[in-house]
């Protein structure tokens, strides 16, 4: 029985959810157990602690479940359903990155296993929706791949392609997807360059601090040296802020 006291209820509810996962239960009822655990707590810090604990639990359980799938266990036949379960669970705890990763896994598994079943195969609209969500959340490389899958599914050569009653509308749809895919590619490249640049500048900043530490046993820096060090540090921070603004402008354009 779950304790009624706010502080004790959360661990008990989370332990119940952990038990569900240990028995490989991946259903709607188990998600409701998780939801109950996340809504039980005496205060905000307790809720945040529960959310963090649930996130760690889900990450470990998902890794274990898909390790079993890779080995060809009984989970393999329902692996797309398992991925969908974890996607919804990660959404509940607010882990956007893991949620998108699980959604991507579920779509790929359905694509591989249900390509000949019109009722179960992934539609171009599902890929498009996932791609847009990935783009909006800053996962540009995955978004680009998902847009490519959406285009592949809308192509006449795809097994699940349905002949459109309005060829012009279908052409416009293809152009829209292509445009967003190009945007995702551009943002991915820009993000990669800026990430490398930011890491380089951080290393430089770290080098400045290390140099300063090495000299700590020596006489204090002269005023002019301290001034130059301050200028370098400020310029590094200004560059990083400028790069972040440029990336933000690209996302809004």
């Amino acid at each position: 029985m779950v304790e009624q006291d706010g502080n004790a209820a959360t661990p008990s509810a989370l332990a119940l959810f952990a038990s569900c996962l240990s028995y490989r239960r991946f259903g709607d009822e188990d998600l409701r157990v998780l939801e109950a655990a996340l809504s039980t707590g005496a205060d905000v810090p307790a809720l945040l602690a529960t959310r963090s604990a649930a996130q760690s639990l889900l990450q470990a359980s998902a890794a274990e479940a898909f390790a079993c799938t890779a080995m060809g266990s009984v989970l393999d036949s329902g692996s797309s359903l398992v991925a969908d379960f974890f996607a919804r669970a990660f959404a509940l705890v607010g882990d956007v990155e893991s949620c998108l990763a699980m959604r991507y896994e579920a779509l790929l598994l359905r694509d591989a296993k249900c390509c000949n079943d019109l009722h179960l195969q992934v539609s171009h609209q599902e890929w498009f929706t996932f791609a847009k969500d990935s783009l909006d959340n800053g996962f540009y490389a995955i978004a680009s791949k998902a847009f490519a899958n959406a285009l592949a599914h809308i192509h006449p050569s795809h097994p699940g392609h349905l002949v459109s009653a309005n060829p012009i509308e279908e052409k416009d749809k293809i152009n829209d997807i292509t445009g967003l895919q190009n945007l995702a590619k551009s943002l991915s490249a820009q993000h990669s360059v800026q990430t490398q640049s930011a890491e380089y500048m951080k290393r430089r900043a770290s080098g400045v601090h290390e140099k300063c530490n090495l000299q700590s046993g020596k006489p204090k820096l002269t005023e002019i040296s301290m001034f130059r060090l301050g200028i370098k540090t400020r310029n590094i921070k200004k560059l990083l802020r400028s790069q972040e603004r440029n990336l933000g402008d690209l996302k809004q354009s």
Side-chain angles (χ1 to χ4, degrees):
M1 178 182 292
V2 175
E3 302 287 342
Q4 295 302 313
D5 177 72
N7 291 321
T10 297
S12 298
L14 195 57
L16 178 58
F17 179 67
S19 176
C20 295
L21 293 178
S22 69
Y23 285 104
R24 297 289 187 268
R25 289 174 50 182
F26 306 119
D28 291 343
E29 290 185 2
D30 308 296
L31 287 175
R32 284 192 285 272
V33 172
L34 173 61
E35 194 170 11
L38 294 172
S39 62
T40 306
D43 49 36
V44 172
L47 289 173
L48 292 177
T50 301
R51 189 175 296 273
S52 177
Q55 182 177 348
S56 298
L57 174 64
L58 284 169
Q59 289 171 345
S61 184
E64 182 180 352
F66 284 99
C68 292
T69 299
M71 295 171 62
S73 76
V74 293
L75 283 177
D76 187 57
S77 60
S79 51
S80 63
L81 296 177
V82 174
D84 182 64
F85 168 85
F86 280 109
R88 294 160 65 192
F90 279 121
L92 285 175
V93 301
D95 186 342
V96 176
E97 183 174 1
S98 296
C99 174
L100 288 171
M102 289 293 100
R103 285 176 60 190
Y104 188 55
E105 185 74 19
L107 290 171
L108 288 176
L109 289 167
R110 277 179 55 205
D111 238 2
K113 298 176 181 297
C114 309
C115 58
N116 296 321
D117 190 327
L118 293 178
H119 298 290
L120 296 177
Q121 67 182 204
V122 184
S123 67
H124 79 271
Q125 185 59 48
E126 287 180 275
W127 275 119
F128 179 74
T129 300
F130 171 78
K132 280 279 279 107
D133 288 344
S134 299
L135 181 62
D136 292 342
N137 283 283
F139 298 96
Y140 309 123
I142 291 296
S144 178
K145 293 178 182 179
F147 281 126
N149 285 332
L151 287 172
H153 282 61
I154 210 172
H155 195 275
S157 63
H158 191 271
H161 175 75
L162 299 176
V163 178
S164 175
N166 190 334
I168 296 178
E169 182 179 328
E170 184 168 286
K171 184 178 179 180
D172 289 341
K173 191 179 298 182
I174 291 173
N175 289 337
D176 289 342
I177 297 174
T178 302
L180 288 171
Q181 183 188 27
N182 291 336
L183 173 61
K185 287 180 179 178
S186 175
L187 289 171
S188 179
Q190 179 72 12
H191 181 67
S192 177
V193 170
Q194 292 200 0
T195 298
Q196 293 175 25
S197 177
E199 289 176 351
Y200 170 71
M201 296 309 293
K202 287 178 181 177
R203 285 198 299 271
R204 283 194 60 184
S206 177
V208 169
H209 291 303
E210 287 177 6
K211 184 178 179 182
C212 200
N213 290 334
L214 287 173
Q215 295 176 345
S216 60
K218 299 179 180 180
K220 291 183 178 180
L221 292 172
T222 63
E223 290 185 4
I224 187 65
S225 297
M226 293 177 67
F227 177 77
R228 287 174 177 169
L229 179 59
I231 291 294
K232 285 182 180 179
T233 303
R234 187 181 67 178
N235 287 341
I236 289 171
K237 290 180 179 179
K238 286 175 64 177
L239 177 58
L240 291 174
R241 284 196 297 267
S242 174
Q243 289 172 338
E244 290 174 355
R245 284 197 301 271
N246 290 337
L247 181 59
D249 291 339
L250 279 172
K251 289 178 68 176
Q252 294 173 5
S253 62

